[in-house]
Each structure stands twice: as C-alpha cells, then as structure tokens.
Amino acid sequence: IDLNASDIKALYRRSQALERLGKLDQAFKDVQRCATIEPRNKNFQETLRRLGINIQEKLRIQFSTDARVQNMFEILLDGNSERETREKAANNLIVLGREEAGAERIFQNNGVKLLLQLIETKNAEMILAAVRTLSGMCTGHKARATAILHLLGMDKICMWMAVDNEEISMAVCNLLQVITESLSGEGEKEQHGKEAALVLDTKKDLKMITMHLLDMLISKKVSGQGRDQALNLLSKNIPRKDLRNPDNSRAIFVIDSGLKKILKVIGQVPELPNCLPLTENTRMIASILLNKLYDDLRCDPERDNFREICEEHIKSKVDPQDMDKTLQAVQTVSGIMQGPFDLGNQLLGMTGVMEMMVALCGSEREVDQLVAVEALIHASTKLSRATFIITNGVTLLKEVYKKTKNEKIKIRALVTSDKTILYSVASTLVNCTNSYDVKELVPELVQLAQFSKQHVPEEHPKDKKDFVLKRVKKLLKAGVISALACMVKADSAILTDQTKELLARVFLALCEDSKDRGTIVAQGGGKALIPLALEGTDVGKVKASHALAKIAAISNPDIAFPGERVYEVVRPLVSLLNTERDGLQNYEALLSLTNLSGRSDKLRLKIIQEKALPDIENYMFENHDQLRQAATECMCNLVVNKEVQERFVADGNDRLKLIVLLCGEDDVKVQNAAAGALAMLTAAHKKLCHKMTQVTTQWLEILQRLCLHEKLEVQHRGLVVAYNLIYADHELAKKLVGSEMLEILTVVGKQADDSKKQHVLNVARECLVKCMDYGLIKPLSQ
C-alpha cells in the first residue's frame, strides 16, 4: 500500500486483518477507499454495510449504562490511573448515581460493595465521590434507600460522619438526610407494583438512625464537625414541620431518650480537660435543637417533663467538692437561656443558681470567671435577674474587669454590667409610661369572680391615664428621647432583643399624644425607631412599627426621616397592614402610607415593591368607615404610579368597578378620595374611560351625583372625570350629552365667575366647548 495507495487487493486484505483485530473504524476506512475506486463492487458495498452495523453495536455497548458504570469503577479502583482521569470518573459516577437508570444499574451490579471499597481507600476524593453517589442513589427511592442503609450499616455511616474533615462530614450528613427523607416519604418518586411494596414500615429504621445520632453526641471519638452534623440532622428531622400535625412522638422520644445527652453537649466547657471535641458553633447548634424540641411540645405536662429532666441534670452537676462539674451546671443553664428562653428563666429560679453564678465571678480561675460572666449576660435579660445582679454582682463584676488580664473576660464583665443596667433602665421606663400589655377586664367576668370570692387584680391609682400622661410629659421635658436614641445605638451584645422590645414599648407610649410627635422627631426619635422596627422580638417590632406609623401619619417625611432613611420606614409600615394586627394599627399604617405615597414616585414604587397593594385594596372593602376611607385615600395617591395604573387597565379584575362604586358612597371623605383616584385614572388611560362605562350600570348616575356635589372639591373631581370621558372619545361624549349630564354642565358653566369656585366653572365650560367642537351641541344664537 505504501508503494501503491490504490492497490485494491492489499487494501481489502488489510481491512480484513484490522476487522479481526477489532479495529473496526480503521477497517471501515480501508473498505471505503476500495469502494471509492470500484463503486460497483457488491462485495465492497456489503462489507461496508456489515462493518457499519458492527461499529454502531460496539458504540452502543461501549456507552451503555452498565459499561459506563464498570468503566468508572475500574478507573477509580486502579491506583495507577492519572489524577485527572480519576477526578473525571468520580464526577461521572456522581452524575450516574443521580439518574434513575444509572442508580439502578450501579445498585444491581454490586455497586454498593464497590463504593464501599472506594471509601476504604481512605482517599478523601474517593470517599467524597462514593458518598455523593450513594446520596444520589437514595434520593426519593424508599426501597433502595432502605437496602443501602442496611448494606452500609449505621455504625459505618456514623464513623464516616465523625471524621475531622468538614467536607466529608457534611457529605455523609447529606447522605443520611437523603436516606431519612426517603424513608419518611418526603420527595418520594411515584412507584408502582412490587417496587412500592418492598418497604412497608420504616419506623424502626428511622428510630435506629435517631438513636445512633444521639449516641454520637456524647462520644469522644466524634469530631466537632461530626457532632455539629448530628445535631443538625436531629434539629431538621425530629420536630414537626407543620404544628397542625398532632403527632409529636418523635420529639417526645428524643426528649425521653436523649435530652440529657443534648444537655451534656451544652454544658461542655472547652477550657476544661476531658471536654468533648467541639467547634465554635456546637453549643449554639445544640441550643437551637433544644429550642425546637421545646416548641414542638403540645401541653403543660410535656413541658413540665422537659423542665424536670433539665433540673435533674443541673442538680446532678452541682458539687461543692468538684468545681469543674459545678461549672458545667452553670454552662448548661447559660446554653438553655440561648434556646428556650422561658425555660431558661425558670431554671434560673432554682435555689442557688444565680448565687452560684455571682460567686463564680469571684473565683481565682479564669475559666470560672469566663463561664460565670457569660451566663450572667444571658440572665440579665429578665428584670428580676437584672435587679439581683445590680444588687449582688455589679461591684464584683467591676473588680473582675479591673483585675483580669483576659480580654474575653473583660469584655463580658463590661457587657454584663452595661446590659444589666440598660435592661433595668428600659424596664423602669416601661413602668413609668405604663406601656406593658394589660389584659382588659370584662365586667361580667369580674362580677363572676367576685361572686365566687376569687381575687380580682385592681388597677393601681397611679396607673390611671391622667397620671401616666403627666409622667410622659415630664419624661419628654427631661429629654428622654435623646436618652432612648443613645440606648438604641448601644452595641448588639448589650442591647438584647428583650431590651429592644422594652424601648419600643416606651416609644409607642410617648407617641400617643400627636402634639408630642414633633418633639420626638426633633430629638431623633424617628431615626431611633427604624432599627427597633426591623430587628428584635415580634412584639417589639410591631410596637416600634406602630410608633413609626403614628409619627409618619402626621409628620413631614423629609424632616422625620431625612435622606434615604425614609425608604427603610416603608417595610415596617406595610407589616402593620397584616390582618392579625388590630384595627388602630391598620388605620395608622394606612394614614402613614398615604402621607409617604404623596411625596414621590420613588416612594410609591417602594410601597408597591413591599407588596402592600393587595392589603390596601382589601381594606377598601372594609365595613369600618375609617379603614375604608384611609385605604381609598392611600390608593388615590398610589394611582399616580404607572404600574398601579396598569393593574386597573388589565382585563379580568374589578378594581375600577370598586373605585366607581366608592364614588357613590355617602361618606364624603371616601367619595372625595375615590373621585380623585377615578379622575387620575381616566386622565391617564382612554381605555379606562371606556371601561368605566362598562363596569357598572350605575356609572352615569354616580358621575352625575359627583358633578352636583355640595362639596366643591368632590364636584371638581367629578367634572374632571366627565371632561376626561368627553375628551377620550366622540361616542362617550355623545352618551353624556344624551343624558342629564348636559343640563348639569350647562347649569354649572353658566354661573357667574367666582374666585372660590372658578376651577369648577372652568372645567364645566371646557366640557361644553369640546362638545361644541364635536358638533354635539350648538352655541346659543345671538
């Protein structure tokens, strides 16, 4: 062939040799050259066809799932494979595991055993590839997840998750999460016939997983990363996702079987010997789990049981002869305070707990001081505890601050002192302004209680409205707003959510009298309220938002919230439109949004972006006159925005109909606002002029009433609507001229000039001029 490239016989013989060697693509090329030289040779044509079929079959086999799976494992288990080739194979295997066909072929072809071999190589890349492939295989497939769980064994899975490698630990955690979800039926793919019947009951397996995770919490062989992942898995899977589900048996089981184990983790002190391996987040994650478990309880007996287990655990740690154990008891209380706060506060009431915290501050050991001061920080968020600390511990804390060289202890001692004092001052101000929540006493129930000789708490004489008002005035005169503004700026470590709530209550009480709101704004109250409305407890945010609404309803936004700060106010105000808020909060939020929406289109756009429109429209249907009026006035300002106008133009909604019907209301303020909105809408879009005549048969009667209204402002808006309709279309003008509207326009237009109502007369005259231009009416003859 080298001597003569066109030697057909040589080419054909070589193609036969190449075919026998399995080199089908090269054999095909030789025969193709033969067929090019002698295109009519049937033997060559038949050989080409046969080789083509064989090549296709070889490719099909080569790229089949079984072959791909086998090929991936061969590469990964071959120690001589190049790193790049192995990485590519690992990624391909992960992708195959996520496909149903690939996952099933891996499983059927002894893939789980081969994946175990990859994990046993101790190579981090191989371990990750194997674990991620297993996760893909278990996703949404109950039968396969159950089989893989038993083939691997929980002991091995926990051992892998316990390693001190964050990436591997997280990957194994994800595998266990996927298995748990598949066993519990979450994200389960639709299955039929025998496959669906393979797994009937997974409760035992789920219980086994839970028990192993609880055992991991107290094992010294588990790394900090592994402990965190075990806590996260419990936190994600044990408490109910929907509290409407009455079954909280999983939480009860964990509390009975593992609450003490969780408490042991929370009570760990890293500075002590024999401490379990932890990360900087371990104790916080454990506190979050405690909080979720406590919230999952349904009744007082269940909560009492939870509390009793905690009390028993703490008492078992208190030992005057063993300071390390006592320190763990204090650390446990401190950790619970970061979780279920109410429970932690009850535990602080245990005999000697607060005294023990304060006493530890005087210890010579730095670790004792550190733990004690940290615990006092959390304890100081309750008034009774703060008072105890002020009485018994502030002097000691100052000594600790002066003597210690440990910066951590210095900061915590300072925070505890400041935090305690800040909370106490805030609590005092709440008492002065009488701004705590007081349940209203129903007279009938009071009489019933008195009849049955039950104690009925009576209002203190100095808590009556007149006395409270005098105290508020004195506080404002003394400059309390400036003090509150300084307190709000305090460091987040000092200013707790509970303190923020107290400050919000005080602000709301101070804003009660509209005459005082100017003073509050002038002294920085508007600015100080914004962070209180955005962060803190739910109650605190609502109180601060309500105070903001009171200020924004009557103040010039440019002065009360200068610059870009005004846009931060919108979200808290919109939150008050929630139907769960009371009527006064709804009303004042609407008033404040009306004020803001009248300032600029940028503010109107911000209100729309915060999804306030559906709520505002909802209040336009309200039976309550003031709410309906406030909502309509707000909408009157918002319709200036093009995006809002488009909502009215869109087909299939009754927004315009509602506006037209509100124009016919007896309430003058509602009429005025609705007429203003209608005037702007019909001026902006001709389509809305036509749509107005179609939404209700009463449109003409309502328009006529507006044009004859005794209030000049309402009459002017009605005439503007008539003007818009006339200018929009000849046919609409014809409809109006053919009705009593012509007489109304004529009567109004013929009136003598009057400076007080000249704007009304001018609109009526312009309507008549346009009708004359259309030729619908003629001017009076001379």
Side-chain angles (χ1 to χ4, degrees), residues 73 150 295 567 621 735 766:
F73 279 118
H150 287 280
D295 286 346
Y567 301 104
F621 285 97
K735 279 185 184 180
E766 287 175 16

Side-chain angles (χ1 to χ4, degrees), residues 69-314:
V69 169
Q70 191 60 37
N71 188 35
M72 294 306 105
F73 279 118
E74 285 175 2
I75 294 169
L76 291 170
L77 291 170
D78 183 0
N80 296 321
S81 299
E82 292 182 6
R83 179 186 176 87
E84 190 176 334
T85 307
R86 284 162 59 195
E87 285 181 0
K88 188 175 180 181
N91 290 330
N92 288 340
L93 191 64
I94 294 167
V95 172
L96 277 172
R98 290 172 182 167
E99 299 170 0
E100 176 56 33
E104 193 57 31
R105 297 319 302 165
I106 294 172
F107 186 75
Q108 295 293 345
N109 293 338
N110 199 31
V112 178
K113 186 177 179 182
L114 292 170
L115 289 167
L116 267 171
Q117 288 181 34
L118 286 180
I119 294 171
E120 286 165 4
T121 61
K122 307 295 183 183
N123 181 300
E125 290 177 11
M126 297 302 101
I127 294 171
L128 284 171
V131 172
R132 287 167 180 166
T133 304
L134 288 165
S135 295
M137 293 169 67
C138 292
T139 301
H141 200 292
K142 188 181 290 187
R144 200 158 53 229
T146 305
I148 288 173
L149 175 65
H150 287 280
L151 285 169
L152 299 176
M154 267 304 293
D155 289 336
K156 282 187 178 178
I157 294 174
C158 291
M159 181 179 69
W160 301 332
M161 195 163 76
V163 299
D164 193 13
N165 181 307
E166 186 176 3
E167 202 171 6
I168 292 174
S169 187
M170 286 183 69
V172 179
C173 174
N174 183 58
L175 168 62
L176 207 48
Q177 178 62 36
V178 165
I179 291 173
T180 301
E181 288 175 356
S182 297
L183 295 185
S184 58
E186 293 179 34
E188 189 175 354
K189 297 170 186 174
E190 190 175 350
Q191 298 173 357
H192 303 281
K194 294 179 182 177
E195 196 174 66
L198 285 174
V199 182
L200 298 175
D201 186 6
T202 58
K203 288 181 182 176
K204 287 184 179 179
D205 287 331
L206 289 168
K207 188 175 180 180
M208 174 188 70
I209 292 171
T210 302
M211 288 302 297
H212 275 78
L213 291 174
L214 289 171
D215 289 341
M216 283 184 73
L217 299 184
I218 55 172
S219 172
K220 288 188 176 181
K221 295 179 181 178
V222 176
S223 69
Q225 295 291 344
R227 207 174 317 280
D228 286 359
Q229 301 308 334
L231 288 164
N232 282 326
L233 283 168
L234 289 167
S235 187
K236 190 170 183 179
N237 297 296
I238 299 303
R240 292 169 291 170
K241 291 179 175 59
D242 185 354
L243 292 178
R244 289 173 295 183
N245 176 10
D247 183 13
N248 67 339
S249 56
R250 287 183 297 184
I252 298 297
F253 173 76
V254 167
I255 290 165
D256 291 340
S257 307
L259 180 54
K260 288 185 178 180
K261 295 176 181 177
I262 301 168
L263 292 172
K264 183 174 180 179
V265 174
I266 286 176
Q268 292 298 299
V269 181
E271 291 79 6
L272 292 181
N274 299 319
C275 176
L276 294 171
L278 306 173
T279 69
E280 60 182 10
N281 297 318
T282 305
R283 291 184 63 251
M284 179 55 73
I285 297 169
S287 295
I288 291 169
L289 172 58
L290 268 192
N291 193 52
K292 287 189 173 184
L293 289 172
Y294 192 74
D295 286 346
D296 202 41
L297 301 177
R298 298 181 304 163
C299 58
D300 287 342
E302 290 178 358
R303 294 185 189 93
D304 289 340
N305 177 57
F306 194 106
R307 176 180 51 76
E308 287 166 7
I309 294 173
C310 292
E311 286 181 354
E312 183 186 336
H313 178 79
I314 292 165

Side-chain angles (χ1 to χ4, degrees), residues 654-709:
D654 290 331
R655 291 187 176 93
L656 189 64
K657 181 179 180 179
L658 175 61
I659 294 290
V660 174
L661 292 175
L662 287 173
C663 287
E665 286 280 314
D666 293 330
D667 188 313
V668 176
K669 290 184 178 178
V670 173
Q671 258 190 321
N672 190 44
L678 189 59
M680 281 185 279
L681 288 167
T682 51
H685 289 273
K686 288 184 179 181
K687 185 177 178 180
L688 290 175
C689 293
H690 288 278
K691 193 173 181 179
M692 174 186 165
T693 64
Q694 298 162 2
V695 292
T696 173
T697 56
Q698 303 170 46
W699 72 273
L700 187 55
E701 179 190 344
I702 290 170
L703 183 57
Q704 289 170 351
R705 283 180 61 195
L706 290 176
C707 293
L708 287 170
H709 207 283

